[in-house]
């Protein structure tokens, strides 16, 4: 008897089958791994004195920032920080 792909109630009938592929290296489910990694990233950023700032940009502005950052060999975040420092120093 094959399991229907739309069946969300019946436990997986093939759970005990060994399938080819990369073995699990982490016992936690992916959702938990992502949460743990995000928490660790935030802690590293906090220790480095970084704060998160979010903004929405027009697609052309976004593309321009990406292009300039790539030309300068830096991240988009570093480029935005340089632009802001330059603008604030001009005041």
């Amino acid at each position: 008897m094959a399991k229907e792909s739309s069946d969300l109630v019946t436990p997986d009938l093939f759970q005990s089958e060994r399938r080819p592929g990369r073995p699990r290296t982490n016992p936690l489910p992916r959702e938990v791994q992502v949460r743990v990694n995000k928490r660790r990233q935030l802690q590293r950023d906090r220790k480095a004195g970084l704060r998160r700032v979010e903004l929405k940009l027009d697609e052309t502005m976004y593309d321009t920032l990406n292009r300039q950052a790539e030309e300068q060999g830096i991240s988009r975040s570093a480029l935005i920080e340089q632009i802001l420092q330059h603008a604030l120093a001009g005041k």
Side-chain angles (χ1 to χ4, degrees):
M1 176 162 128
K3 181 181 177 198
E4 290 289 327
S5 60
S6 61
D7 184 4
L8 301 176
V9 178
T10 307
D12 192 356
L13 298 174
F14 308 107
Q15 189 172 12
S16 61
E17 263 185 33
R18 300 288 290 168
R19 295 186 180 164
R22 183 176 175 184
R24 285 181 67 143
T25 57
N26 193 322
L28 299 174
R30 186 68 186 143
E31 181 181 306
V32 175
Q33 289 178 41
V34 168
R35 253 188 283 135
V36 167
N37 290 340
K38 187 64 177 173
R39 187 178 312 121
R40 287 179 182 160
Q41 178 66 51
L42 290 172
Q43 289 171 349
R44 282 192 303 270
D45 287 349
R46 207 171 290 132
K47 284 181 182 177
L50 301 174
R51 296 287 187 191
R52 176 180 283 276
V53 176
E54 294 186 34
L55 65 131
K56 294 182 182 183
L57 299 172
D58 181 70
E59 189 173 351
T60 56
M61 175 77 67
Y62 178 82
D63 293 338
T64 303
L65 284 170
N66 282 339
R67 196 174 332 102
Q68 285 186 7
E70 189 176 315
E71 287 171 2
Q72 294 182 26
I74 59 175
S75 68
R76 184 178 58 242
S77 177
L79 176 63
I80 292 171
E81 188 174 349
Q82 283 180 0
I83 292 169
L84 289 173
Q85 286 176 349
H86 180 72
L88 293 173
K91 280 193 164 187

